[in-house]
Amino acid sequence: EFYRKTARPDGSFQPGIDPEYRGISDAAYSDLAAVTYAVTIHKTFGWKLPHEEKTIEFLLSRQKPNGDFFNVAGTVKPDSPEGRTYNTTQGLVALHALGRKPRHNPLPVFEDILKGDYRQLPAYSTSFFPLAYLCAGQPIPEKADRGIRALIVQDDTGYSNSHVAATFHASHYYRLIGEEPPKGREMVARILRDQKPNGSWFLNMPARDRHATFDAVFTLRHEGKDTPECRAAIAKAAAWALSCRNDDGGFGHYPGSASDADANYFHVGTLVMAGVLKPVDPLPADAHLLSWGHM
């Protein structure tokens, strides 16, 4: 119902029900986010997109001949290293999920950024690189892998950048390259310790922790070895995610906030990881490459 109301005739999606709503996280950062998350959720459950061919054309139209995908609306500057990394990864994820190749080779974008700009990217950018390479049909090159790993600095608790989001991206990075992350046991112990009584991981101002519950649940599932403590924490997290649902069918980032295309993905992803929502059977091809690893 949410997507029926937010689908645009050109194949893109509004960030929320109100056409004037601009989003408050990924969907505010880049107008590619709402589209990619809509594609991801539809593929997760085997739904048909409202205007699938138009969505494909929309995504293809957002790539430059040099390989860059770009945003038209949103706060990120499309030509910045952050914008190029974010937009090109999101565009590749969506097209890969739809079974389509981009018009232009996207890998020179990452090769260019890996010459040096990658060191200036936010700490949550690490797993963008192997995800993008895999969606483009190849593993991350060895030299690039070494460079990105050097950015994943963990403290004694296994946390990166003193935050669960960067820590999640470390876990996601190692899962995408098929290795166990360093200090996985320590990550789990701190995440379990940090969970709030309401089931969330809202420890900081909302702008910093909007995706924290998804991030924590992913890491618990992948590094927690299905212990009773991890199962209980994930069940509490699912209950909190459900409390963020609104009558219009969408989810807000936290209870009482407006339904948001970005919040939909992260809460639905949490509920899939928790076993509350069941994905399509059989799973779509390369299900692990649908956004941030909820499958």
Side-chain angles (χ1 to χ4, degrees):
E1 182 69 7
F2 176 89
Y3 285 113
R4 186 186 68 77
K5 293 175 181 175
T6 58
R8 293 174 173 141
D10 68 354
S12 67
F13 288 83
Q14 296 171 186
I17 300 291
D18 183 348
E20 298 303 313
Y21 178 74
R22 293 292 177 258
I24 56 173
S25 190
D26 287 24
Y29 189 69
S30 166
D31 59 357
L32 288 178
V35 182
T36 299
Y37 291 144
V39 170
T40 293
I41 288 179
H42 281 73
K43 292 299 177 181
T44 295
F45 300 114
W47 300 342
K48 181 78 172 175
L49 284 158
H51 312 292
E52 187 162 305
E53 288 303 316
K54 289 286 189 180
T55 298
I56 292 169
E57 285 303 314
F58 173 86
L59 290 162
L60 292 172
S61 75
R62 287 298 188 89
Q63 190 186 27
K64 299 177 183 177
N66 71 349
D68 276 337
F69 283 79
F70 61 93
N71 60 304
V72 171
T75 58
V76 70
K77 294 179 180 178
D79 292 330
S80 67
E82 295 93 335
R84 298 179 72 199
T85 301
Y86 184 90
N87 288 323
T88 305
T89 301
Q90 292 283 39
L92 285 174
V93 165
L95 285 174
H96 186 75
L98 291 164
R100 296 293 292 269
K101 293 186 180 296
R103 286 180 175 146
H104 311 287
N105 181 8
L107 294 183
V109 177
F110 298 96
E111 292 163 2
D112 185 36
I113 291 168
L114 284 162
K115 291 175 182 175
D117 286 337
Y118 74 97
R119 296 187 185 92
Q120 304 165 25
L121 294 175
Y124 57 76
S125 302
T126 52
S127 72
F128 282 62
F129 289 87
L131 178 60
Y133 271 93
L134 288 169
C135 284
Q138 67 181 66
I140 186 171
E142 183 180 346
K143 183 179 178 181
D145 178 33
R146 288 198 305 270
I148 299 296
R149 285 195 206 209
L151 301 179
I152 304 174
V153 179
Q154 295 173 278
D155 62 23
D156 290 341
T157 69
Y159 263 39
S160 296
N161 202 37
S162 299
H163 194 248
V164 72
T167 305
F168 151 73
H169 280 282
S171 174
H172 188 222
Y173 185 94
Y174 280 97
R175 292 298 155 192
L176 286 170
I177 64 171
E179 295 184 18
E180 292 289 327
K183 300 184 180 179
R185 188 178 302 173
E186 290 85 349
M187 286 182 191
V188 169
R190 178 165 174 184
I191 288 171
L192 290 173
R193 204 163 56 239
D194 282 352
Q195 189 175 25
K196 292 183 70 174
N198 67 5
S200 77
W201 277 266
F202 260 110
L203 305 174
N204 305 289
M205 59 184 291
R208 186 163 164 81
D209 281 1
R210 288 193 193 105
H211 305 155
T213 300
F214 176 98
D215 297 341
V217 169
F218 177 96
T219 310
L220 290 178
R221 272 190 57 87
H222 288 272
E223 318 310 337
K225 313 305 180 189
D226 199 33
T227 64
E229 294 82 3
C230 288
R231 288 199 300 271
I234 290 170
K236 284 178 66 177
W240 183 80
L242 285 168
S243 76
C244 298
R245 192 179 185 198
N246 294 316
D247 290 341
D248 57 27
F251 289 77
H253 281 286
Y254 43 86
S257 65
S259 292
D260 182 281
D262 168 64
N264 275 3
Y265 169 68
F266 286 98
H267 289 313
V268 167
T270 295
L271 294 168
V272 170
M273 291 188 288
V276 174
L277 292 176
K278 303 296 183 185
V280 65
D281 184 15
L283 295 180
D286 293 333
H288 63 299
L289 301 182
L290 283 173
S291 290
W292 306 114
H294 65 291
M295 296 230 276

